[in-house]
Amino acid sequence: MQKIVVLSGAGISAESGISTFRNNNGLWENHKIEEVATPEAWEVNKDLVLDFYNQRRKQLFEVEPNDAHKALVRLEEEFNVHIITQNVDDLHERAGSSHVMHLHGELKKVRSTLDSGLIYDLEGWELKVGDTCEKGSQLRPHIVWFGEEVPNISLASEIVSSADCLIVVGTSLNVYPAAGLLNEVRPNIPIYLIDPFDVDTSYIRDFRIIKANAGDGLTRLVNELLENNKK
Ligand code: OAD
């Protein structure tokens, strides 16, 4: 069975109603995202950082997977599909995809600031100052902040380097090391890029661009890949 690897970003969840980072000028209530999603911001203003993630987590209870997430589930009928997502939402899982790796963490999880191995599913949407782990330390969002290491990047590189096909969808490819994963693809492996807007692709070798929203673009591409596989 051929292995198809998908690198997804905020754009795949846009049609579910979750706004992307950079199409919104990268601002949240006049704060730059990079100023909220950092260890420094956490040190200075925990309430602000928690509020940012609480709002995003709360929104997760109001949104549903869209056609793009669902198309990737159908792809599993004929292919070994591995999704590497920069998203912290759980829409790939809720759609039913089997192999989903989160590069930048998961909104619905929290972890201890004392022991990073203590990771919990959060009940509800709100994490507050004073909420602690079993060892008594403050809990933080289970998110990879700017300036922090990306624990899953080596595993992600391995997955990409064994792909027979790569689909890149809904990411501006602005953030490293995630964007660097495209350099791990073996030569002659087809790369598809789905995005309705212009993305800087100057450093990507041969690829096919599908200039469309994720829902429409992925539905068409998945139909085509399933059809061609039957021939
Ligand atoms: P960005 O907001 O940087 O990029 C979103 C991409 O989705 C852009 O290229 C848009 O053109 C595209 N897009 C918008 N609407 C779309 C639609 N309906 N269908 C398909 N594509 C659409 O988001 P990411 O590249 O995911 O990191 O951002 C990467 C990381 O930067 C995030 O994981 C986050 C952020 O800061 C952390 O929080 C650590």
Side-chain angles (χ1 to χ4, degrees):
M1 208 182 227
Q2 284 208 319
K3 179 170 182 174
I4 298 189
V5 176
V6 180
L7 177 64
S8 70
I12 198 169
S13 297
E15 288 159 87
S16 294
I18 300 179
S19 54
T20 61
F21 295 94
R22 288 170 186 81
N23 296 117
N24 222 358
N25 297 326
L27 291 180
W28 170 71
E29 296 191 352
N30 290 326
H31 300 283
K32 278 191 183 167
I33 303 298
E34 289 83 350
E35 287 167 9
V36 186
T38 65
E40 292 77 18
W42 177 248
E43 283 312 311
V44 173
N45 194 342
K46 290 187 176 45
D47 285 318
L48 178 83
V49 175
L50 290 174
D51 186 27
F52 174 66
Y53 289 105
N54 284 341
Q55 287 190 27
R56 299 186 77 81
R57 201 179 293 112
K58 189 177 185 185
Q59 186 188 28
L60 264 195
F61 290 90
E62 294 149 15
V63 299
E64 297 292 335
N66 63 50
D67 287 347
H69 302 101
K70 291 175 192 164
L72 291 177
V73 180
R74 276 200 298 124
L75 200 55
E76 293 188 15
E77 290 167 15
E78 299 280 341
F79 298 98
N80 177 14
V81 180
H82 286 258
I83 298 172
I84 300 169
T85 186
Q86 297 166 83
N87 297 346
V88 294
D89 66 50
D90 60 351
L91 295 180
H92 284 302
E93 288 92 338
R94 277 164 53 192
S97 282
S98 309
H99 306 290
V100 183
M101 172 196 280
H102 289 268
L103 274 183
H104 293 160
E106 293 172 69
L107 260 183
K108 286 194 170 170
K109 292 185 178 170
V110 296
R111 71 170 185 265
S112 164
T113 47
L114 177 74
D115 178 348
S116 58
L118 293 177
I119 301 166
Y120 308 89
D121 292 326
L122 186 68
E123 294 265 318
W125 56 269
E126 196 175 18
L127 181 64
K128 298 192 288 281
V129 170
D131 290 343
T132 55
C133 72
E134 67 216 48
K135 293 183 179 172
S137 285
Q138 175 67 41
L139 290 167
R140 58 165 275 181
H142 184 50
I143 299 285
V144 176
W145 286 327
F146 287 93
E148 293 187 319
E149 272 184 33
V150 179
N152 279 335
I153 197 68
S154 303
L155 199 50
S157 296
E158 266 175 49
I159 293 172
V160 172
S161 63
S162 60
D164 299 306
C165 170
L166 179 71
I167 301 173
V168 180
V169 52
T171 172
S172 61
L173 297 173
N174 261 284
V175 172
Y176 283 79
L181 286 172
L182 271 75
N183 299 321
E184 305 296 329
V185 179
R186 289 175 295 156
N188 303 321
I189 295 298
I191 301 178
Y192 300 93
L193 191 138
I194 303 174
D195 201 298
F197 303 109
D198 290 333
V199 178
D200 177 12
T201 49
S202 49
Y203 71 103
I204 311 175
R205 62 156 178 81
D206 286 352
F207 65 95
R208 189 177 125 196
I209 186 140
I210 301 171
K211 216 166 170 147
N213 285 339
D216 177 36
L218 260 179
T219 300
R220 281 192 278 137
L221 178 60
V222 165
N223 288 345
E224 185 184 313
L225 292 169
L226 291 174
E227 199 59 38
N228 288 345
N229 197 53
K230 288 194 184 104
K231 284 180 188 160

